Amino acid sequence: MGIKRFQSVQKRLPTTQKDWRLMGRIIKLVLTIPLYAIISVIAAGAALTLFVLSLNVELVNDLIIGGVLPPTDRVTILVELYPFVGTSFGVLSGALLSIVSALAGVNVAMAGYHIREHELTVAGSGASILGVVFGTLGAGCAACGSAVLLGILGLFGISTSLLFLPLDGLEFALLALVVITVSIYWLADGMRGGMVNGCPIES
């Protein structure tokens, strides 16, 4: 019983080179369509902004939203919160947030393509619908997860928030990375055997 359950779970995850090649091929085909490439970039930028703002809530509230700084200084502070621009993130954490954001953008573009071009329905492709939902939650979990945890800890008077976590709250970004990757695979799997951008997808 345990083996069958494990095999069932394994089929739902990208565990072979064939699965990863499928994901890569479909991502490439979807992003060669200008509309979906633009959607991917916009969604990735929005995801990165959400992550950055949620990890700097107090600073944003005190200096950017509130405070007496002139607009140009507020914009400068905001821009310097982004990875590789300011000093808020190290190389590892900045790279991780950038990768998660990029994958979130890809996930949104793939979901949009699948829904629009393949007329996705719950009855016809439940796994792909679940992939869309799962990916949306994953894209937000790095941001909202840390914000929610910060709020809960604040109720208990713990002001140091996420300092006890080894990666200072970036564990949520790692979780998002896994969730979004699985979502992309589910979407790719839902397109298996069909056509993407005029090209057949082998099953």
Side-chain angles (χ1 to χ4, degrees):
M1 188 71 176
I3 295 176
K4 287 183 179 179
R5 186 172 297 175
F6 174 76
Q7 290 175 340
S8 176
V9 171
Q10 191 176 28
K11 289 179 181 178
R12 308 283 297 148
L13 300 173
T15 56
T16 66
Q17 287 186 355
K18 187 177 179 181
D19 295 334
W20 290 97
R21 282 197 300 268
L22 173 73
M23 291 168 61
R25 176 169 167 75
I26 292 180
I27 289 170
K28 180 179 178 181
L29 289 173
V30 170
L31 295 185
T32 54
I33 304 171
L35 172 62
Y36 294 100
I38 293 170
I39 289 172
S40 178
V41 171
I42 293 173
L48 183 59
T49 299
L50 179 64
F51 298 157
V52 166
L53 294 182
S54 69
L55 294 171
N56 296 280
V57 175
E58 290 185 12
L59 179 63
V60 170
N61 283 334
D62 294 343
L63 296 181
I64 298 174
I65 296 175
V68 294
L69 293 175
T72 53
D73 289 344
R74 297 186 191 200
V75 171
T76 300
I77 292 172
L78 178 61
V79 169
E80 289 183 353
L81 291 177
Y82 285 83
F84 308 114
V85 178
T87 58
S88 297
F89 299 98
V91 175
L92 177 61
S93 58
L96 180 58
L97 283 180
S98 299
I99 290 170
V100 170
S101 300
L103 287 177
V106 169
N107 190 72
V108 169
M110 285 181 63
Y113 179 89
H114 199 15
I115 290 170
R116 182 178 177 184
E117 304 297 332
H118 297 157
E119 298 180 356
L120 187 64
T121 63
V122 176
S125 189
S128 295
I129 285 287
L130 191 56
V132 174
V133 175
F134 201 38
T136 302
L137 293 175
C141 76
C144 68
S146 57
V148 168
L149 182 58
L150 178 62
I152 292 173
L153 292 174
L155 293 175
F156 295 98
I158 303 176
S159 59
T160 53
S161 65
L162 304 176
L163 294 180
F164 67 94
L165 294 174
L167 299 178
D168 295 329
L170 288 176
E171 287 81 358
F172 294 105
L174 288 172
L175 175 61
L177 182 62
V178 173
V179 169
I180 294 172
T181 301
V182 171
S183 173
I184 289 173
Y185 171 66
W186 284 0
L187 287 166
D189 189 54
M191 299 183 204
R192 195 192 299 264
M195 302 279 288
V196 175
N197 197 13
C199 297
I201 302 299
E202 298 178 1
S203 57

